Amino acid sequence: MKITNTSLLFYIISVAFIIRLILALYGYYTKVYEGFADDLAYYSLAESVMTQGFFLPDITSMNSVAKVVGPGMGWILAILFTLLGKSWLVIFLFNTLLSTGLCILIYYLGKELFNETIGLMALIWSSVYYFYLRFIVTSGKEIWIHFLFLSTIFCVLRFRKVSRKWIPLLLCSLSYSLLIHIDERFFAYIPLLFVALFMLNTDSIIKKLQSALIFSLIVFMCMVPWLIRNYHVYHKIVILSVRTAPITDKLFGYPYQEYYANNDWAWELTPTQIDSVRNGYTAHLIDGEIRPEFAAAIRRGLLPHKFSTGEKLWSRFLELWAPVDFHEGYKLDGYLWDGKWSLKHNLVSGLMYGMLIPFFFYGMLKLKTKDNQIFVFLLCIFIWHTIIHVLFIPYTLERYRIVLDCFLIVLAASSIQPFMSKMQRKFRQINFQN
């Protein structure tokens, strides 16, 4: 029986859904949520939305993390709880659907950039991709970020190919608006998206400018309600969340006020404390006693020091892009102990992500030959994402990269496909001769 591409698409999506459903049920019944940290804050944020309403006028009783993050996840979880009941299982099951939807989007991305075969190959890889599966049993924002960011970029890509451009333009504006209300970091993408909607448009210059301005206007209009809310709460202009305050306070001339004490990041030890630890004693930071592995490293002679600017930038770059880590030392600011990854971590990251990197670069060269405009657009995304997280995010994490993994998967698939086709033809020739 010959399996059509449509049937194969259905089977792969079904397998992707079943894998995620099993993980969701296993995670719920083994109560993995009891060890959550930030996820508990999002759960708390949703409860605050349910009691106070969508504009959260009173932040005094809220979780310290919930006070400073964007409102998007609180809104989403509150809606889910209202409709389906307040339960971790509700979150995990919805994550199952959304993560499956992400795989389907990756299929369409491959089909858009190359062809249906590449889309199917990318779908297969994404259906078992560890870095997508690991966030099924959380209430955090990762799955939503991955889905909404790819939705936004996909709409930009479709924008230039359809006659009714207002549909992808509207979808792009709405998905991006929700994205920045979930994670304000992505607000930095607005100039890149503005330029892309202008440059990738095949219409006249006037219509190009109109489309880019309409996108910006819709996004701004979606931001207005929360801007009003923030002004009511903080008595000044605050864009999206108070984590933007270090920039906006300078921009609008306000005296900067710290709304969130970064006690979790207060790792810096004095020379006296370091000597004390080397002599077998302990040291206390603002958030408590230093971790045992940190103290053990100091006693082995691996001493922390304040990183120079160059060391900080290189550490953030490695944190963002490194596929494996066999080195133990300090990272980010020079005082955060970073032991080498476990064998499991290195194997999973190296095999699922690291092996894509060389194929990705070859896929980018293929894309440049096929469509130089899209090549430049995707290249700008990778460069811009790196600049944001290396230059402006002090504590960059490995998971901040995963939002771009969809492009690595598709472009790597485009590189591998010709070799697979060649092997398939040789296999058929061997069978025919036999």
Side-chain angles (χ1 to χ4, degrees):
M1 183 182 68
K2 184 178 180 180
I3 299 178
T4 64
N5 281 354
T6 303
S7 300
L8 185 58
L9 176 63
F10 174 77
Y11 294 143
I12 299 171
I13 292 173
S14 298
V15 170
F17 174 77
I18 291 170
I19 292 172
R20 284 154 174 75
L21 180 61
I22 292 172
L23 285 174
L25 295 175
Y26 176 80
Y28 176 73
Y29 287 110
T30 55
K31 298 183 178 181
V32 296
Y33 47 85
E34 290 184 350
F36 289 171
D38 284 359
D39 290 359
L40 291 171
Y42 286 112
Y43 198 98
S44 170
L45 180 60
E47 292 177 322
S48 297
V49 172
M50 295 175 73
T51 56
Q52 294 190 46
F54 273 59
F55 291 99
L56 297 169
D58 180 15
I59 64 172
T60 56
S61 60
M62 290 171 58
N63 178 293
S64 61
V65 177
K67 291 178 183 180
V68 299
V69 298
M73 278 311 302
W75 294 342
I76 291 168
L77 294 179
I79 292 172
L80 288 178
F81 290 163
T82 301
L83 295 177
L84 303 174
K86 191 169 67 171
S87 165
W88 287 101
L89 182 61
V90 169
I91 300 173
F92 296 168
L93 292 178
F94 200 85
N95 285 349
T96 297
L97 293 174
L98 194 64
S99 184
T100 306
L102 174 65
C103 293
I104 296 171
L105 262 181
I106 291 174
Y107 160 76
Y108 280 108
L109 177 67
K111 191 175 177 182
E112 178 72 21
L113 294 181
F114 295 100
N115 54 54
E116 188 173 23
T117 302
I118 302 301
L120 287 169
M121 291 177 63
L123 173 62
I124 291 171
W125 194 258
S126 61
S127 66
V128 294
Y129 193 54
Y130 168 78
F131 293 102
Y132 292 152
L133 298 177
R134 66 182 285 194
F135 297 109
I136 298 296
V137 288
T138 72
S139 67
K141 58 191 178 183
E142 261 59 40
I143 291 179
W144 280 94
I145 289 173
H146 302 160
F147 183 84
L148 291 171
F149 184 78
L150 180 52
S151 298
T152 302
I153 301 302
F154 183 76
C155 288
V156 173
L157 296 175
R158 289 296 300 163
F159 177 73
R160 66 177 189 156
K161 290 189 175 182
V162 297
S163 54
R164 294 184 177 181
K165 295 186 182 298
W166 66 269
I167 297 176
L169 183 62
L170 179 62
L171 291 175
C172 175
S173 306
L174 295 177
S175 63
Y176 179 68
S177 296
L178 180 54
L179 173 63
I180 62 177
H181 281 83
I182 292 176
D183 192 324
E184 68 281 352
R185 283 178 300 146
F186 290 91
F187 188 62
Y189 268 91
I190 196 164
L192 182 59
L193 295 173
F194 182 95
V195 172
L197 288 169
F198 183 87
M199 298 301 295
L200 298 180
N201 196 338
T202 55
D203 292 334
S204 65
I205 292 180
I206 296 298
K207 289 188 176 181
K208 287 173 181 267
L209 187 58
Q210 283 179 343
S211 298
L213 288 173
I214 288 171
F215 163 78
S216 303
L217 180 62
I218 294 174
V219 171
F220 175 74
M221 292 302 295
C222 290
M223 291 172 60
V224 166
W226 197 248
L227 278 170
I228 295 173
R229 177 267 183 191
N230 282 345
Y231 194 85
H232 172 75
V233 172
Y234 302 109
H235 308 292
K236 63 179 182 179
I237 298 173
V238 175
I239 297 176
L240 298 170
S241 87
V242 291
R243 289 194 290 193
T244 65
I247 298 173
T248 56
D249 282 358
K250 293 178 182 178
L251 181 64
F252 298 114
Y254 298 123
Y256 177 62
Q257 178 182 351
E258 179 64 73
Y259 290 97
Y260 180 46
N262 290 319
N263 293 342
D264 291 341
W265 312 120
W267 294 300
E268 186 169 343
L269 294 178
T270 65
T272 301
Q273 288 177 308
I274 293 174
D275 288 339
S276 175
V277 174
R278 293 183 70 179
N279 291 325
Y281 299 99
T282 189
H284 287 79
L285 302 173
I286 297 175
D287 60 339
E289 190 173 307
I290 67 170
R291 290 177 300 153
E293 59 269 29
F294 188 3
I298 293 175
R299 288 171 190 141
R300 285 189 285 123
L302 299 173
L303 305 182
H305 71 279
K306 191 173 185 63
F307 277 179
S308 66
T309 300
E311 287 175 312
K312 287 180 181 178
L313 297 181
W314 178 241
S315 177
R316 293 173 199 167
F317 181 84
L318 289 178
E319 186 72 16
L320 190 65
W321 291 112
V324 292
D325 182 7
F326 298 105
H327 171 73
E328 58 179 8
Y330 297 91
K331 65 179 182 180
L332 299 181
D333 62 354
Y335 286 91
L336 176 59
W337 172 250
D338 181 30
K340 61 185 178 181
W341 290 352
S342 66
L343 177 62
K344 176 184 174 182
H345 192 164
N346 274 314
L347 283 174
V348 169
S349 181
L351 294 176
M352 297 299 289
Y353 156 64
M355 68 176 295
L356 298 178
I357 295 175
F359 296 106
F360 160 75
F361 285 115
Y362 183 62
M364 285 291 279
L365 292 177
K366 286 185 64 176
L367 182 62
K368 187 180 190 316
T369 303
K370 182 177 184 293
D371 193 326
N372 188 61
Q373 279 192 320
I374 299 301
F375 163 78
V376 172
F377 177 46
L378 293 188
L379 182 62
C380 288
I381 288 175
F382 277 86
I383 293 173
W384 193 235
H385 195 81
T386 303
I387 288 173
I388 292 168
H389 291 84
V390 171
L391 294 185
F392 301 109
I393 306 294
Y395 298 100
T396 293
L397 301 174
E398 177 192 12
R399 59 185 169 88
Y400 294 169
R401 180 212 74 237
I402 300 172
V403 71
L404 301 185
D405 285 2
C406 55
F407 304 114
L408 272 85
I409 292 171
V410 168
L411 289 160
S414 73
S415 299
I416 298 170
Q417 189 269 334
F419 297 106
M420 293 188 64
S421 297
K422 187 176 181 180
M423 291 176 61
Q424 189 178 33
R425 285 194 299 269
K426 286 186 176 181
F427 183 74
R428 286 175 178 172
Q429 288 175 357
I430 293 171
N431 285 343
F432 180 75
Q433 291 171 359
N434 292 335

